[in-house]
Amino acid sequence: MISPNLDIPEHPERPYLSVVVPAYNEEENVVPLAEEIIAALTTLPGGFELILVDDASTDATAHRIKQLKHPRVRAVYHRINCGQSAAVGSGFQAARGEWVATLDGDGQNDPADLPAMLEKAVHDGVDCVTGVRRKRQDNFIRRFSSRVANGFRNWITGDQVSDSGCGIRVVRRTALREIPVFNGMHRFLPTLLRGQGYTVAETTVNHRERLRGTSKYGVHNRLWRGIRDCFGIRWYLKRAVRSDRLDETRK
């Protein structure tokens, strides 16, 4: 845990951590999850902000977000449904913190993991810490399709990510400046960061059952789309100009 005695001054306009949560038709989850995040980060040195991104939900998600009056909560609303990666990208653009964290909007990621992940990133001197779900609470089909897609991703991209589908991560905000936003980006974020020359570490995290609402993903839009996207990522990695090389050129 980050020590509460750590001397990080709090600036309302420049919080230490920005937490981005994309939400689509999560009217039952968005308020309880926001309350959990606030409780988990109340004593965080340097302060935090919570950015809830409503991806043009057709239920009462936007209304629930507007009911939240906490001073650390900010909201972004999409006019049309653009997908989870676009919602995450909108949150990245709105973030003001030195570090940016992401969680899925379904409540299966545990906000209590965030302080330890941030502490690991700072202590290890890395640009990103990504979660690896411990005792994953999903049905067999979802676990199997994710395992197949994850292995295929690593084979095609040449990267080694233990759980690319895990939505809880902590990333240095400056490392996000050149990450392209496309449908599926959130699943490849660790690989994209490494492709730009940034450092990524992994840590085990808690995973919970979905208690409310319904999943937006199945075999079609998770397994097959992810496998197809791998070829695009391989193309991008071979042609990307690494940020660390640009920095060396400027010196």
Side-chain angles (χ1 to χ4, degrees), residues 220-237:
H220 172 69
N221 61 2
R222 183 183 289 270
L223 175 60
W224 306 123
R225 180 185 295 174
I227 288 175
R228 180 191 62 192
D229 289 346
C230 289
F231 294 98
I233 294 296
R234 184 170 67 175
W235 177 91
Y236 172 80
L237 293 175

Side-chain angles (χ1 to χ4, degrees), residues 1-3 6 114-124:
M1 298 288 289
I2 294 181
S3 170
L6 191 62
L114 287 176
M117 295 178 75
L118 181 56
E119 172 69 14
K120 179 176 176 61
V122 174
H123 180 269
D124 293 357

Side-chain angles (χ1 to χ4, degrees), residues 10-159:
E10 181 170 349
H11 299 284
E13 298 301 318
R14 289 185 287 114
Y16 191 57
L17 178 67
S18 298
V19 182
V20 174
V21 179
Y24 175 68
N25 288 352
E26 296 288 0
E27 61 181 1
E28 297 177 89
N29 287 310
V30 66
V31 172
L33 179 57
E35 291 173 344
E36 272 197 281
I37 294 169
I38 292 167
L41 300 176
T42 296
T43 61
L44 183 75
F48 72 96
E49 64 178 354
L50 171 57
I51 303 172
L52 301 172
V53 184
D54 173 51
D55 190 27
S57 297
T58 58
D59 64 0
T61 298
H63 178 67
R64 297 283 189 270
I65 292 174
K66 290 174 183 176
Q67 288 179 320
L68 288 165
K69 302 300 182 182
H70 197 280
R72 296 185 186 273
V73 176
R74 300 170 59 206
V76 176
Y77 301 98
H78 284 180
R79 289 178 293 178
I80 60 174
N81 178 253
C82 300
Q84 184 173 349
S85 289
V88 170
S90 293
F92 287 168
Q93 290 183 343
R96 302 174 298 187
E98 182 177 341
W99 292 88
V100 181
T102 63
L103 297 94
D104 290 338
D106 56 13
Q108 290 191 264
N109 298 138
D110 189 347
D113 285 320
L114 287 176
M117 295 178 75
L118 181 56
E119 172 69 14
K120 179 176 176 61
V122 174
H123 180 269
D124 293 357
V126 297
D127 301 299
C128 172
V129 172
T130 186
V132 179
R133 289 168 286 189
R134 178 177 55 239
K135 296 182 180 179
R136 184 173 171 183
Q137 302 299 310
D138 283 323
N139 62 40
F140 172 77
I141 295 298
R142 293 192 69 182
R143 295 197 309 270
F144 176 75
S145 62
S146 291
R147 190 177 301 117
V148 172
N150 200 77
F152 188 81
R153 285 189 194 103
N154 288 339
W155 178 54
I156 291 294
T157 64
D159 198 11

